[in-house]
């Protein structure tokens, strides 16, 4: 019996999830509807009763909100993916050593450092944490250009509006030659970058579980790793 | 049905305070520019709510500010010919003309579109839009639109001012017919004494927002002291009966026994008419002239001499035919030694058909001969 | 169409439907509100005026959020519409149309109101003296004279409907085939690495449609104006070329 | 400076094709509603570009479609009194009146605001806005605005149609002064034969877009066969010199040796005037009447008798004073046995001042006495 | 102000500056474009018309992206403005004003154009016969008569400037004190779990300002209309109450 499954997912997961879901549909005959938007918008909509079965968030915060409102199907929440934070530049150049000695001001040459919103959007929050951790925050703060999301931050670097930017490795990876990865932030410099997933209490929990399970299978993993994500082990695997 | 009007209204520096009755027939509002004519008409139409007022057609109250009655414009059914045409720019001439037809609510049309367009000479314009019309064409369409609305009362604010003499002459008989049919009161604003003399059954003169004279037009016009448009426009009305149509095209009238000659009329012998004799057109002579082109000579006795400030005087003469006014110089008054009681002759150069001809409206044959100065072709002897 | 993905095509038809309905339903409402604001004096007139402008003043996300709260599955208005009219807005194209309509509303009201205020009241008076009751005066005189405003309002609302993003995605999310209009598809394409080409194609598509609507409205408006100016058809045709 | 005009233009169902000269003085365009008067004026003003045409003031070409010359309206300096007033609604009356003053570009104002507002009686309106004006008030402001623009040519499209007789009488002398000053050509549209007779130096009659008659007003008006507004409006012009002001307020004129009496004029003895005698106002008698109020009697010889279709005829009489027309009935022609060569007397009821009075404009004292029918108070004997 | 954070206050003053400048600079440009569209026939008129409407048709993000490409530090127009006028848009409040101006432009143009098309050309003709050259006719006759359209356009643009989000953040990103206008601050609050209260406060602030602008424009517009209708000052005052 074919099921209809609606997945609310953060926009940044689109490419990988599109590939993975196609395979899943072919294998199971289920019909997937993929709804991409910002995590905050999706979380609010779910809170207001949106007909979603599965939520893939780009940060744990909004998942926490839904959990506290008992919107999640108990026991289905898991951390699905992780990512890395990188420093990218418009112009090619030598790798940059990231530590408290890094002279961001010189590197920026009067330009700005593009990030996602540092107080709201996950990529920005992680970037802020990392910069603080590396004692670069005081230098960086007045030179930030905070974009709506990580893709917009990437666009700032791609167009040369900002010489440097901080994005996920996945975005930098997908941008190909238009940007250059100049450094990767040490994993310890920021909280782990986690994409949690959970089935929703009012939805098709069985279907959601099935797809969630499929995402841990090798073909699905390949789709994610191709985009630069790292798949976190499913709770059952441990 | 009498239209009775009592209004008080105030603009920044103008106060209107009038009360008058417009009995059946045609009531002319006469007065100088800015005297308040349009304001009165607007109040009757329901387009302006006066500070205080009472307006009724017979028993039917349109406005009573004391009792809080104020019928909206569309329920007053006042066919209004605006001073500015106010045609609907998005409609064709034909659509403008027939606009009111869809709001007749059971009234049966008394005139047809064809009749009106023929009279007004606007048949060739029917498919045009107002923006392409000439000034006079607009005025005619506006008139036609009001006439076709089957109104309970007709308000015409200088409807003929933009028209040439010949066109006016074609339209005036229509107003006469309407007036004589007596179905609806007509309130007619005019600056033109000739129009007044020809059309008015009742005359109201306004000045600075007040009524300065009111009454039957015939009475007012026979008063040598009354000439709201200047002494030049004075002229009395007399009654006459058609006696015969003569072979050379003239019509002989019998005015109290005296013969009067007019260019050929079309009404049947026996028809009673009211005529206007302009004071301007009357000469006086102590002895009857025998060898002149004047056909119309009335013997009479001087009743009253009204001397103005200028070199002129208006002499009221009682003749067989009735009261006649003559406007002559003071020098002539002296030369002819005129005084109340003096016997003399009035030599009348021209005679005009006046309002309230007893006949049921003027026959069409007459109309082209009637000119806007209200003087049909003048008979001479 | 090789250069347009099936998703793009779906988004296009959906956008047309959404913008079309938003305009069609919005126009009479905007006319009523514009009339009230331009002609009537009533308590709350000022509030109504502010309310109409709210979607313009608020960031679209806020409007979308308020719509979600009001017309969402749990929103009071959403329930009323559902129970009384059987009309659901939440996460459906109807909701996208609602969002587009709300966002385009201020422009429609303004355009119509400007036209209404330019109508010569003396013409309406003339119609009344000819026996036309208030509504008929409106229908036969006022309405034809404000056609330029109606058309301007319609084309603004339609264009806005084709471009509305923030309120839509916040209110009804981005559900392919249901609420994923062209702007949402464009935004998503821009979010996707390497999606710029697709975004550009979709944007051009959107532009073409809106331009067509624009040209149509200009043409109609010109025809009306020329008619009033009394020009012949030949001249109108000529003038309508842009 | 002569204004020369040659135009061809076409509307949906109207074709204009005219060519005429307007020599210095005042040229009246006379014609029925829709005959093309406004279209001509618009073309002169530069508001309508005709299909083909040539318009020039003296050597100064305003339009020449062949040579591709088409001066924009603002460089034609045509003071235009529109048929519809076209006041600027957002400006006060005063701002409307003085609007053109800022575009004088070095011209020195020849009239002052006070002069114009006094003449037009609009001084109390200066701070008002057009929407609050009455019809006649609007017309007066529009006239004042054009007059104050120091134009190179004045175009007046029925400027007095909305005004009452008294107001017209106050404004007409201004046009006469302007005409007699001869500084600028004046093109004046009118429906009113009295205005024509009083103002026109040149007369152009239009019918259905074509010129039907053109020439000096005096010549055209003395032709017994010319009466574009109907035979009622016929009337000839004669010349006279002021002989003396008499003690009873009358002024005696000398017309080729014959005495003529008019109500008191203000010009000095010796001033030459042109007078209009309406055919309507002339009676004929074979013998000189001795005992009547007619002061003005001219002996003459019948030159020509123009018999129309109706019962009337127009008789042209050569008198001492010049050519005089009399409009009498055919019956009278027969009764008096008139034929070319017959000697008889013209009894003149009223005499009017005609255009081109040789005096440098009419003195103000005269103006209130002149009525729109162009007949000053009629002397009687 | 206890309920308003200092950041909120900064955002407020910035928003006022941005919306004010966007309106002030946009208005004369919109007037020129509206005049050209309403009155002139020239090649490219249709394209200009479409271009004017583009910010409406495109999702704001696209407009912002195009602005970034054109007026960014590397954009050709950005360089011209920088080199010629010493004016930088990138990441500065000037850029936010540019984005707000561009987004509000179609409304200004439309409102002004509607008013322009309602001006009776016969009045302009009358002015010409009185010796007024074309520009003077425009200044003394046309301009005063389109005041309602100018006011409507200004208030729409100002409101839009107070609410513009998508294009602004995409073009000049979110720099507190420089480009963080009220809508950006509101969005920021909404992105944060539990930020709804702060968002609401800021939104109310924004609404109050825009409402004040609205009331002012209504009052001015009424005064002008009443003047033309020839009412006395007393009556105007009365009518202006809403
Ligand atoms: N734009 C137009 N399109 C079609 N016909 C027109 C247009 N303008 C004028 N006409 C026609 O041309 C003719 C002449 O118009 P014009 O305004 O010159 O007349 P007029 O002599 O001034 O008349 P009136 O005394 O009534 O003002 C009229 O029959 C009119 O209907
Ligand atoms: N809205 C208004 N505000 C102030 N004054 C006004 C208003 N409307 C009319 N008036 C004044 O009231 C007076 C009477 O105006 P009305 O239009 O009734 O005159 P009218 O007799 O019709 O004159 P006309 O023959 O010139 O048309 C005029 O002096 C006019 O200026
Ligand atoms: Mg009036
Ligand atoms: Mg005309």
């Amino acid at each position: 019996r074919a099921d209809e499954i609606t997945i609310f997912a953060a926009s940044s997961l689109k490419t990988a999830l599109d590939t993975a879901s196609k395979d899943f549909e072919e294998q199971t005959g289920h019909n997937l509807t993929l709804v991409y938007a910002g995590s905050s918008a999706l979380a609010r909509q779910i809170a207001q009763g949106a007909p979603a079965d599965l939520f893939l968030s780009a940060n744990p915060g909004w998942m926490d909100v839904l959990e506290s409102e008992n919107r999640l199907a108990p026991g289905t929440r898991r951390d699905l993916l992780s990512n890395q934070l990188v420093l990218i530049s418009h112009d090619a150049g030598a790798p940059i050593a990231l530590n408290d000695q890094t002279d961001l001001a010189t590197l920026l040459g009067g330009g700005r450092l593009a990030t996602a919103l540092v107080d709201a959007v996950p990529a920005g929050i992680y970037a802020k944490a990392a910069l603080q951790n590396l004692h670069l925050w005081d230098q960086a703060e007045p030179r930030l250009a905070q974009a709506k999301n990580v893709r917009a931050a990437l666009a700032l670097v791609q167009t040369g509006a900002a010489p440097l930017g901080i994005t996920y490795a996945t975005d930098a990876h997908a941008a190909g030659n238009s940007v250059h990865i100049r450094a990767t932030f040490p994993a310890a410099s920021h909280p782990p970058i986690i994409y949690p997933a959970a089935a929703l209490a009012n939805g098709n929990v069985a279907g959601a579980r099935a797809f969630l399970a499929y995402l841990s299978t090798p073909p699905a993993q390949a789709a994610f790793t191709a985009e630069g994500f790292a798949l976190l082990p499913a709770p059952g695997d441990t | 049905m009498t239209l009775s009007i009592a209004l008080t209204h105030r603009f920044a520096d103008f106060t209107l305070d009038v009360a008058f009755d417009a009995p059946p027939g045609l009531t002319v509002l006469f007065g100088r520019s800015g005297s308040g004519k349009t304001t009165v008409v607007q109040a009757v139409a329901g387009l302006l709510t006066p500070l205080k007022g009472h307006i009724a057609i017979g028993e039917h109250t349109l406005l009573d500010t004391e009792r809080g009655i104020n019928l909206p414009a569309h329920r007053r059914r006042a066919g209004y010919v605006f001073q500015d045409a106010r045609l609907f720019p998005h409609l064709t001439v034909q659509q403008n003309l027939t606009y009111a037809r869809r709001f007749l609510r059971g009234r049966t049309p008394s005139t047809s579109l064809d009749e009106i367009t023929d009279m007004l000479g606007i048949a060739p314009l029917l498919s045009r839009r107002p923006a392409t019309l000439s000034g006079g064409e607009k005025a005619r369409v506006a008139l036609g639109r009001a006439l076709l609305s089957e109104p309970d009362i007709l308000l015409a604010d200088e409807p003929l001012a933009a028209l040439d003499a010949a066109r006016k002459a074609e339209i005036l008989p229509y107003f006469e017919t309407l007036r004589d049919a007596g179905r609806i009161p007509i309130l007619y604003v005019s600056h033109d004494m000739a129009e007044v003399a020809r059309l008015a059954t009742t005359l109201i003169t306004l000045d600075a927002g007040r009524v300065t004279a009111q009454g039957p037009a015939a009475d007012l016009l026979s008063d040598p002291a009354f000439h709201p448009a200047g002494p030049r426009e004075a002229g009395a009305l007399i009654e006459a009966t058609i006696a015969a149509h003569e072979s050379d095209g003239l019509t002989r009238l019998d005015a109290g026994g005296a013969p009067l000659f007019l260019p050929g009329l079309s009404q049947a012998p026996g028809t009673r008419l009211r005529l206007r004799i302009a004071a301007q057109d009357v000469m006086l002579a102590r002895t009857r002239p025998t060898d002149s082109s004047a056909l119309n000579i009335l013997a009479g006795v001087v009743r009253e001499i009204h001397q103005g400030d200028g070199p002129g005087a208006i002499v009221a003469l009682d003749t067989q035919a009735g009261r006649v006014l003559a406007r002559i110089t003071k020098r002539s008054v002296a030369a002819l030694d005129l005084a109340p009681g003096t016997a003399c002759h009035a030599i009348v150069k021209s005679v005009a058909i006046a309002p309230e001809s007893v006949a049921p409206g003027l026959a069409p044959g007459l109309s082209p001969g009637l000119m806007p100065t209200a003087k049909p072709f003048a008979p001479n002897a | 169409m090789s250069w347009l993905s099936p998703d793009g095509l779906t988004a296009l038809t959906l956008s047309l439907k959404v913008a079309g309905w938003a305009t069609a339903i919005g126009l009479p409402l905007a006319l009523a509100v514009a009339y009230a604001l331009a002609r009537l004096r009533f308590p709350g007139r000022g509030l109504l005026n502010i309310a109409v402008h709210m979607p313009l003043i608020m960031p679209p996300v806020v409007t979308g959020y308020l719509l979600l709260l009001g017309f969402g599955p749990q929103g009071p208005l959403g329930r009323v519409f559902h129970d009384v009219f059987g009309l659901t807005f939440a996460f459906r194209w109807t909701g996208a149309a609602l969002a587009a309509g709300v966002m385009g509303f201020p422009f429609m009201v303004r355009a119509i109101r400007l036209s209404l205020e330019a109508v010569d009241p003396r013409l309406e008076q003339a119609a009344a003296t000819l026996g036309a009751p208030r509504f008929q005066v409106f229908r036969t005189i006022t309405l034809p004279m404000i056609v330029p405003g109606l058309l301007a309002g319609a084309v603004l609302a339609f264009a806005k409907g084709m471009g509305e993003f923030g309120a839509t995605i916040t209110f009804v999310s981005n559900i392919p085939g249901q609420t994923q209009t062209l702007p949402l598809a464009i935004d998503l394409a821009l979010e996707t690495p390497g999606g710029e080409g697709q975004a550009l194609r979709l944007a051009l598509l959107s532009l073409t449609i809106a331009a067509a609507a624009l040209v149509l409205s200009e043409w109609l408006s010109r025809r009306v104006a020329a008619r009033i100016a009394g020009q012949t058809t030949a001249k109108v045709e000529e003038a309508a070329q842009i």
Side-chain angles (χ1 to χ4, degrees), chain B residues 74 78 84 86 90 99 105 129, chain C residues 122 128-129 131-132 140 227:
Chain B
H74 73 273
D84 49 337
R86 298 203 194 177
H90 61 297
Y99 183 81
R105 296 195 201 87
R129 286 189 205 262
Chain C
R122 293 177 309 164
T129 66
T140 58
R227 267 181 140 195

Side-chain angles (χ1 to χ4, degrees), chain B residues 33-34 36-39 83 157-158 189 191:
Chain B
S33 170
K37 307 178 295 297
T38 299
T39 309
Q83 199 170 0
D157 199 346
E158 303 187 36
V189 174
H191 283 137

Side-chain angles (χ1 to χ4, degrees), chain B residues 343-359:
Chain B
C344 66
H345 292 84
I347 303 157
V348 180
K349 169 84 184 158
S350 28
V351 173
I353 303 291
E356 283 184 359
S357 34
V358 183

Side-chain angles (χ1 to χ4, degrees), chain B residues 100-115:
Chain B
R101 291 288 177 166
R102 50 187 130 175
F103 308 116
L104 289 185
R105 296 195 201 87
R107 288 153 200 258
T108 40
S110 60
T111 38
S112 73
L113 180 64
D114 286 354
E115 234 175 291

Side-chain angles (χ1 to χ4, degrees), chain A residues 166-199:
Chain A
I166 301 173
T167 67
Y168 291 129
T170 47
D171 300 291
H173 183 81
N177 297 334
S178 61
V179 296
H180 306 272
I181 300 177
R182 304 284 290 278
T184 302
F185 283 87
S189 66
H190 53 80
I193 301 173
I194 301 290
Y195 293 71

Side-chain angles (χ1 to χ4, degrees), chain A residues 53-88:
Chain A
D53 304 314
L54 179 66
F55 181 37
L56 303 181
S57 172
N59 79 353
W62 284 107
M63 196 61 96
D64 295 345
V65 169
L66 292 181
E67 189 156 36
S68 71
E69 290 182 11
N70 299 321
R71 289 282 175 183
L72 306 185
T76 59
R77 175 172 175 169
R78 55 169 284 207
D79 294 339
L80 184 66
L81 301 166
S82 75
N83 208 341
Q84 281 180 305
L85 216 52
V86 295
L87 181 68
I88 57 172

